Amino acid sequence: MQNVFDIYTIIFLALAVFIFLRLRSVLGQRTGRERPPYDPYSAREPVRPATEKVVALPPRQAEPMAAPKPAELAEPSEPGDRWKGIAEAGSPVAAGLEGIVAADPAFDGKHFVAGARGAYEMIVGAFAEGDRRTLKNLLSRDVYDGFDAAIGEREKRGETVETRFVSIDTADIVAAELKAKTAQVTVRFHSKLITATRDGNGNVIDGSAERVTDITDVWTFARDVSSRDPNWKLVATEAEH
């Protein structure tokens, strides 16, 4: 009987080792070099722009923010006032926007800013709600991975976030350039939010459910101008304090 017990023990141990190795190969292992969770409400370093093709920046209606069709374009404006209300004539921002228009004549600065404001509100709201599906459609891979990690950590702790926009006071283009065939436009948002993090018992552990907080975010959106898809995607984020 002892020999039989030993044989079965060895068999079970061998199976356990085999299953462990299979799980390890499928799920991977932590190396200590994983990126830390992303938290858009705390100080952070700018996220490095993603290198893959970027495709989506929808407004609040959850429809992609697309460039207007040729028939919808306004009458050509003089070079000096093309970016009136968007960028100062002769500034680096205006020069960058001119470069984008040269590659994509359908680009319209005011249309872009309106879409960016809607996307900003949608992304912040989706992060608070843990809506990964919406975020995946709006963010580049690197930025999405950071948001996803932060949501995962929050879920493990049993925490929830409540966020309500009071206003988006300003949304200004502060940088624009064409890199190869990728247009990148950076927007500085000044907004007012009411945001609170609650623990599993519903107690506020961060922020406030009543106090209005001033937030300044600098986000970069990008689009491959050689693509037939006219939509934009968030590729980098930074907070100003």
Side-chain angles (χ1 to χ4, degrees):
M1 290 295 295
Q2 182 65 36
N3 291 336
V4 172
F5 174 77
D6 289 342
I7 290 173
Y8 280 110
T9 300
I10 292 172
I11 291 173
F12 284 125
L13 286 174
L15 285 173
V17 171
F18 175 76
I19 292 171
F20 170 77
L21 291 175
R22 290 291 296 170
L23 287 172
R24 184 183 179 90
S25 66
V26 173
L27 301 177
Q29 57 179 314
R30 296 189 65 83
T31 64
R33 300 182 63 184
E34 293 81 6
R35 286 191 298 272
Y38 177 85
D39 181 0
Y41 301 114
S42 65
R44 68 258 192 196
E45 294 297 322
V47 177
R48 187 179 301 278
T51 57
E52 76 271 12
K53 187 172 90 172
V54 291
V55 291
L57 170 57
R60 294 183 62 179
Q61 293 84 357
E63 302 229 340
M65 186 193 81
K69 297 178 182 179
E72 299 172 339
L73 296 177
E75 291 296 323
S77 58
E78 294 298 324
D81 64 5
R82 185 201 298 271
W83 308 114
K84 185 176 181 180
I86 300 294
E88 183 180 350
S91 67
V93 172
L97 293 173
E98 289 289 349
I100 293 174
V101 168
D104 179 14
F107 178 81
D108 178 85
K110 292 182 178 179
H111 180 83
F112 174 87
V113 170
R117 290 172 67 101
Y120 175 67
E121 185 170 350
M122 180 179 287
I123 291 169
V124 171
F127 173 77
E129 296 169 5
D131 184 354
R132 290 179 172 87
R133 170 181 267 181
T134 295
L135 292 174
K136 184 168 286 189
N137 291 328
L138 304 176
L139 313 179
S140 71
R141 185 177 305 158
D142 285 352
V143 178
Y144 173 80
D145 286 347
F147 275 72
D148 178 55
I151 291 171
E153 290 298 319
R154 194 170 70 206
E155 291 172 341
K156 289 179 183 178
R157 296 191 297 267
E159 297 172 357
T160 57
V161 174
E162 301 170 357
T163 296
R164 185 169 82 252
F165 270 92
V166 176
S167 64
I168 299 178
D169 297 332
T170 60
D172 300 318
I173 295 178
V174 295
E177 63 180 327
L178 185 69
K179 290 185 174 181
K181 294 184 178 181
T182 299
Q184 292 193 352
V185 181
T186 300
V187 182
R188 179 184 289 115
F189 299 96
H190 293 287
S191 62
K192 289 183 172 62
L193 296 175
I194 297 176
T195 181
T197 301
R198 297 182 183 271
D199 62 19
N201 296 319
N203 301 312
V204 176
I205 58 176
D206 189 32
S208 170
E210 299 177 353
R211 186 178 66 250
V212 176
T213 302
D214 291 311
I215 302 291
T216 301
D217 280 304
V218 180
W219 287 12
T220 298
F221 301 94
R223 173 181 173 261
D224 182 351
V225 296
S226 67
S227 170
R228 296 180 63 184
D229 190 329
N231 305 314
W232 297 70
K233 210 165 206 180
L234 176 65
V235 297
T237 65
E238 182 181 0
E240 291 186 354
H241 299 274

